[in-house]
Amino acid sequence: MTFETIIYEKKDNVAWITLNRPDKLNAQNDTVRAEVIAALEQANSDDEVKVIVLTGAGDRAFSAGADISQFPQWQPLNVLQRSKGARRPYTVIREIPKPVIAMVNGLALGGGCELAMACDIIIASDKARFGQPEINVGVIPGGGGTQILPRLVGEKKAKEMVFTGDFISAEEAWRLGMINKVVPADKLREAVEEVIAKLKSKSPAILKLAKIAVNKSLETPLSVGMEIENELFAMCFGTQDQKEGARAFLEKRLPEYKGM
Ligand code: COA
């Protein structure tokens, strides 16, 4: 598939999806969103892909959010229709049973911050900044900024960010538990490769169950979540990879997982 606004590369079992509008700070218009979804689905249906990475082209931005130039045409009904009728990158990332890493190389604002937060792991450059500045253009966040952000940083900090639109540094985002790691800009790729190597050494089948289980923790009361976890834990024992993992441990060797 050829793309206009993103770059899709597959290398060593990793799909790299790069938002590619650097002159517009990788702002997301309808084409970007549709192409990100198509690329995620391509990566998901490709058995060779074990890990997916999302990043932004250039050294200024991961993504500065929704393309504001589209806003003058938007009306309540078509905004509702586009979010309810169509799938959205945030949902697709959470639904895809493969690990998705956000490699945040610069500004992650509005829908860019939300896109990063939808990913399973966020590794950021020390030049990155995060924010939900929608308030400055007369709207509220529409892709999880009022829902996922408070779950990550707590109600008070989330309200401060959403009400003021102020940006926070990568260092502060890390301190708040919003992102996994901050590294110097020239070490960003290396840091992401380290995480990729760890994820590739695990069973894709068990990683899938792990992702579903942790996702559910945000969506259910604790008692229900514990039951779901127990069921998914039981399912592990129906996989060949569980047998291989235990056998390899007992035989003091590295496991060779098949992903089933
Ligand atoms: N939508 C559309 N275009 C955007 C954009 C967005 N969200 N963010 C940046 N751009 C464009 C700018 O219009 C500019 O394009 P131009 O060169 O054709 O004029 C280009 O990207 C560079 O941005 P610029 O504003 O000149 O850079 P800056 O360093 O002065 O400021 C920001 C950077 C991020 C502070 C500023 O671009 C900004 O506030 N962007 C909007 C962020 C936002 O509110 N996102 C949530 C949207 S709901």
Side-chain angles (χ1 to χ4, degrees), residues 3 23 40 79 86 90 136 163 173 196 204-205 215 226 229 233 244:
F3 295 109
D23 54 325
L40 287 165
V79 171
Y90 324 105
N136 297 332
F163 292 4
I196 290 172
N215 279 354
M226 292 298 277
E229 183 193 70
F233 173 68
E244 168 62 9

Side-chain angles (χ1 to χ4, degrees), residues 14-18 51-55 99-103 119 192 196:
V14 181
W16 295 82
I17 301 171
T18 306
V51 181
I52 301 166
V53 181
L54 271 177
T55 192
V100 184
I101 301 174
M103 181 167 99
C119 295
V192 170
I196 290 172

Side-chain angles (χ1 to χ4, degrees), residues 87 116 246:
R87 304 183 73 207

Side-chain angles (χ1 to χ4, degrees), residues 44-152:
N44 189 34
S45 58
D46 184 340
D47 286 343
E48 287 176 1
V49 172
K50 308 285 182 224
V51 181
I52 301 166
V53 181
L54 271 177
T55 192
D59 57 5
R60 290 199 59 203
F62 174 75
S63 169
D67 189 326
I68 300 167
S69 69
Q70 293 195 317
F71 280 14
Q73 294 92 50
W74 287 13
Q75 295 297 327
L77 276 184
N78 69 29
V79 171
L80 259 190
Q81 211 170 16
R82 74 202 303 139
S83 55
K84 287 206 190 302
R87 304 183 73 207
R88 301 200 299 161
Y90 324 105
T91 324
V92 176
I93 291 169
R94 293 182 71 77
E95 284 171 0
I96 281 183
K98 297 183 182 184
V100 184
I101 301 174
M103 181 167 99
V104 180
N105 49 309
L107 295 166
L109 305 176
C113 187
E114 293 169 322
L115 194 65
M117 288 193 293
C119 295
D120 301 306
I121 291 178
I122 306 177
I123 313 283
S125 138
D126 56 0
K127 305 242 173 3
R129 285 191 296 159
F130 296 81
Q132 298 290 163
E134 289 88 343
I135 196 89
N136 297 332
V137 289
V139 289
I140 68 167
T146 68
Q147 301 301 307
I148 306 285
L149 184 63
R151 285 165 161 85
L152 298 180

